[in-house]
Amino acid sequence: MTTELTVTGMTCGHCEKAVREALEQVPGVQTVQVDRAAGQATVTGDADPQALVHAVTEEGYSAQVRA
């Protein structure tokens, strides 16, 4: 399963890394790709989408699941 998130607030490489590492800690995540220029993250695995959003918001960024 692939989940795409819209992530706002990322401005630099550190932001991108923080979001990636937060998402990688969510149970069920297999791979994570974060693109700050596009403002999105793509996660593969069977993680709960709301847990992914929560992980990103805990890092101080806004996130929502892309429809």
Side-chain angles (χ1 to χ4, degrees):
M1 180 173 89
T2 300
T3 304
E4 292 192 5
L5 303 173
T6 299
V7 182
T8 56
M10 294 186 295
T11 59
C12 65
H14 173 75
C15 297
E16 201 171 72
K17 181 180 176 186
V19 169
R20 184 179 68 251
E21 289 178 349
L23 290 169
E24 288 172 342
Q25 298 303 312
V26 176
V29 170
Q30 293 177 345
T31 64
V32 177
Q33 293 180 329
V34 180
D35 183 346
R36 76 175 176 270
Q40 71 179 34
T42 304
V43 179
T44 59
D46 61 358
D48 174 26
Q50 291 308 312
L52 298 172
V53 169
H54 181 72
V56 174
T57 58
E58 285 293 302
E59 287 297 314
Y61 305 95
S62 295
Q64 62 183 11
V65 177
R66 296 178 81 167

